[in-house]
Amino acid sequence: MKISKIIHWSAAPIFIGIIAGCAASNQQPSPDTDKVVASTAPTYYVAGGSGYRWANVSIGGGSFVTGVYPHPLEKDLVYIRTDIGGFYRWNPKDRTWIPLNDRFPQSQQTYYGGEALAVDPNNPNIVYIAAGKYSAWQPKGSIFKSSDRGTTWTKLNIDLGMDSNDEHRWAGMRLAVNPSNSNIIFFGSRHDGLWKSSDAGATWAKVTSFSANLTPKIGIVGIVFDKQQPGLVYANVFGDGIYKSADTGVTWSKIQVSPNQAQRMVVASNKVLYVTHLSGVSKYTNGTWSDITPNGKQAAFNALAVNPTNPNDAIVALGQSVRTKIYRTSDGGTTWTEKNASIKHTVPWWDDAMFSLWTAAIEFDPKIPGKVWLTDGFGIWQTDNINTDRVAWTNYEQGHEEVVSFSLAAPPKGAVLLSALGDVVGFHHNNGLNAYPSARLEGTPEWRDTFDIAYSQTNPLRLVRVGGARWSSTYTGATSTDGGLTWQKFSSFPAKTMPLRVAVSATNPNLFVAITSKAQPLRSTDGGASWKPVSGLPDGPGGPWYWSQPLAADRVDGNTFYYYSEGKLYSSTDGGASFSLANSSLPSSKWDLKILKTVAKNEVWFGNGVSGLFRSIDGGKTFAKLSSVEKAHLFAFGKPPTGSTTPALYMYGKVAGMGEGIFRSLDRGETWTSIGSPQNPIGNEPNAMEASWQQFGLVFIGTNGRGIFYGSPDNSKALAGL
């Protein structure tokens, strides 16, 4: 995975936005600590075809980092795993994270799920990952080995169902390398028991002597070796208890009265086994269990770290919560001290409440005394001195891009990009593409997701977005008159109704149509003040995890809208009040995205994965399939090149004779050029694509866990504004 490194320097703004939807933190930021730390960091580009460069849009984390792994032998060699965004390695030189999964194509998108990671404790160059998002997907999850610190990977001969984005993904270490013999590796699976390799991963066999009772979908949460006693290994079976083997896994026995809902385990240098579980914190010494829960109060605990140079020095954190407390002991758990925090941000839109929200992992740095790493539901934190009364934590996110996109907009005026995202609402990318945005899109406090964002063609500074909060089933929308800098909430919206997509009239920004989850589409003619059902359309698809784009407004005629459902195209010529069937002969591929877009008056385009790409010039009455396109997963239109009036057409799909990839056409799909990168095919569930109407050649692709990527022609003029 050789990555060409072309650096574009940019400074992150030094003010902060307000988080939406997160409860107040229990941590107490110090009033005399800078709230935001200004940072500069490089942008990493990879080369694409036809002189293109590809890079992440700088956003800054935004999703669950489920583990952190400092190597015991080498300073600053640190890895992280994420639930839906793959694995990363720390680059200490510029304090950035290097993504390690980006070579996996769309056909292997499951490998962006971080089920587990293990370093070889005896060789800093060797690292293993267990990768698989969902066990129901094909291919199944697998284990990969790298001998160059994750630059390249070799798939090992083991295929098991993995669920990195499922229950207890924040807990345990399912993959472990024997510190006494690096050839021996164990993997504890969710569904298929315990597996062992005795030849450094070349072959694997199920451990038939291990006969625990596996909790469905969780299974074996963790494996740990005792470095002081060769052959001693522990296995944490969630819901059953902790097992141990004294002969390197040949035979196993259950430890009596062990915690049966353990989350993490660590064997200290004095052979003491520390365990966090759903009822507290325990330790196992010479065959005896002791309850060492902080404050003696039963509570769920998860994150756990023991100082490798002091077996009595440990840190624990409460279980998954928006108010995670952190405790430290210096006497093996006899007494504990709560560690308060002061927060330093390198990402301007991060709020103090995001610190330790759903804390997953805490680890002492084995080479730097006092340094500790922490990961949580939004990213990665680091302190250089855990020994102070008030610990200063700094978030380091550059390179770690893990947001989930629902839709994108790249209007001809205003922001170069607006993003509609899961969990972090979305952004007006006001600082360009290589610097963090200043703040999230404004919204009511309960907003967490923006499902769609759209603009009026003749007045592109007039925007509409829809979304809300899944956790409370509170949904609404908002309008903007200044290109998305400020927003005004709809004055009304039907209760318990989830709006999935919205289309705005080309000539009347107060007129828009919205499709809703499993309910009748709606229409507003007064900017969202009132709503009426649309006639002539079926109920909308189920949400919120919906990425098709079946709704579009004509780009010229303000009264015309289009909607696709199950092989049928419906059209409206009365401002969306009523729709009628325009075409019933379009294809419908069940598992592919359905993408409907307009580019000129009466010109409608439709893509449906393996069905290909279709064009209509008569308002959808008839469609012609593009013979050159074998698969159209995503497509978008953007600004024409100089001297042309034909919009540039971009596609993520497959072109006859050219294979799969990312392509651009300047003649409405008659001919294509490849612009994608084999180093980064953007394979992590690409789900949104838009192209700039301000700058020719600039195209965006949103993903389900690797953020947003942009591609641009490789010349200094094109890159100057990014």
Side-chain angles (χ1 to χ4, degrees), residues 5 59 89 161 204 210 263 320 368 378 459 483 539 605 630 649 664 678:
K5 180 180 175 184
I59 296 174
R89 186 181 72 243
W204 293 81
F210 190 83
Q263 301 219 83
Q320 305 332 111
I368 306 175
F378 285 97
N459 191 347
D539 287 353
W605 290 67
E630 296 180 358
L649 170 61
R664 186 183 71 192

Side-chain angles (χ1 to χ4, degrees), residues 395-418:
N395 56 354
Y396 290 104
E397 295 301 317
Q398 190 74 33
H400 168 230
E401 296 294 346
E402 203 188 343
V403 298
V404 173
S405 62
F406 279 110
S407 73
L408 307 171
K413 287 184 180 180
V416 65
L417 175 67
L418 294 119

Side-chain angles (χ1 to χ4, degrees), residues 360-374:
I362 296 175
E363 294 291 340
F364 284 92
D365 191 296
K367 293 297 181 181
I368 306 175
K371 186 174 182 178
V372 172
W373 297 82
L374 181 150

